[in-house]
Amino acid sequence: MTSPCGDRRAAGSPPAAIALTLPGGQTVRVRLHARQEVTGPHPWRYLVGVPSWVARPEGVEAAEYTVWVTDRQLTPVEGVDLSGVPTRRLPGPPPQPAPGWVVRPVPGHRGRTVVHDAACRHAAGGGTELGTQEAVDALMRDGARACTDCDAAAVLVPALELGQGHG
């Protein structure tokens, strides 16, 4: 059933099983309660219930800790249907992913360039669209730098440093 807000709910459907990878790499089976489309680098958030225990005077009691996570932490369980999970989408058309990276010359500085995330406000108005490998190559050129106002410096500079001394 779909509400005016964009919710899709399966009447009375229980949470679905899904695997959650914890920060240390351990994987646990959790219950997927809901998913929600959001803006940002990870377009979906998932509300999961993680099994836990509560100490009571009478003894230990099973409990569930709920938390929102991204898809990077989840792996579907084979044979589990996720179509009944309540889903909330953003109003309007689905957000389109940015095409990648943009390299722009620095005005008034011959030979200097800045690499931006394609969604960066400083990338608007021209430049050359690049894929990730091309953007890393562009940063290797003399006079090039990564924009610090968008994801370019946070994403591309570490990738560039990984290749140092391995070429």
Side-chain angles (χ1 to χ4, degrees):
M1 147 178 9
T2 303
S3 77
C5 308
D7 287 343
R8 190 187 80 215
R9 301 188 188 281
S13 88
I18 196 160
L20 172 69
T21 302
L22 301 174
Q26 179 185 8
T27 301
V28 294
R29 189 175 281 210
V30 298
R31 296 173 358 134
L32 178 59
H33 291 280
R35 51 188 163 197
Q36 179 177 356
E37 188 177 25
V38 295
T39 58
H42 303 286
W44 287 95
R45 300 288 184 265
Y46 300 86
L47 182 63
V48 297
V50 181
S52 62
W53 296 265
V54 176
R56 305 245 185 245
E58 307 82 43
V60 177
E61 181 179 305
E64 183 176 77
Y65 172 76
T66 57
V67 63
W68 288 97
V69 298
T70 68
D71 63 335
R72 290 182 169 200
Q73 297 148 287
L74 297 175
T75 306
V77 173
E78 188 174 335
V80 175
D81 180 16
L82 300 179
S83 65
V85 174
T87 302
R88 183 176 188 123
R89 294 190 173 275
L90 290 173
Q96 298 299 313
W101 308 97
V102 173
V103 64
R104 295 196 63 195
V106 177
H109 292 87
R110 182 181 171 114
R112 298 211 181 250
T113 59
V114 180
V115 178
H116 303 273
D117 182 298
C120 179
R121 62 187 170 96
H122 301 296
T128 305
E129 290 186 17
L130 306 171
T132 302
Q133 185 60 51
E134 294 169 303
V136 171
D137 291 344
L139 282 176
M140 293 173 59
R141 296 186 188 112
D142 288 337
R145 70 175 182 83
C147 177
T148 55
D149 290 340
C150 65
D151 286 340
V155 173
L156 298 174
V157 171
L160 184 65
E161 291 170 354
L162 283 173
Q164 297 294 322
H166 298 298

